Amino acid sequence: ATNDSVTFKVSGSKVGHAMVKITLNAMDTYDVEVFKVRRIKWDIKRTDIAKIEGVYWDSLVEVLQTAIEGR
């Protein structure tokens, strides 16, 4: 966690095992990123799955369910 974001691991039917980062932006809404991180020898590779900007707090659960589970 930082002053304006939180990152955590998830697992779901659509993404398998992935990471979610939720960031509070200047418009007082949230930006949601779903991505996978793989380590290949000394390199770290990030693969973006979904990026949704401008999410209101009361829609966070629905956005996460759609991005992770595909509902």
Side-chain angles (χ1 to χ4, degrees):
T2 65
N3 288 336
D4 62 350
S5 71
V6 62
T7 304
F8 52 92
K9 294 179 185 179
V10 296
S11 62
S13 60
K14 183 177 178 183
V15 298
H17 297 286
M19 302 288 291
V20 172
K21 181 177 183 181
I22 302 174
T23 306
L24 179 63
N25 63 31
M27 299 290 292
D28 206 25
T29 59
Y30 296 93
D31 297 333
V32 178
E33 299 175 68
V34 181
F35 57 93
K36 288 188 175 196
V37 177
R38 288 187 351 187
R39 181 177 162 187
I40 303 171
K41 293 192 180 189
W42 298 106
D43 293 330
I44 296 175
K45 182 177 179 181
R46 175 180 165 154
T47 305
D48 291 331
I49 298 171
K51 186 171 186 176
I52 304 102
E53 297 178 343
V55 179
Y56 291 101
W57 69 268
D58 57 348
S59 301
L60 278 173
V61 173
E62 294 172 30
V63 168
L64 288 173
Q65 284 178 340
T66 303
I68 297 167
E69 296 291 334
R71 295 182 190 180

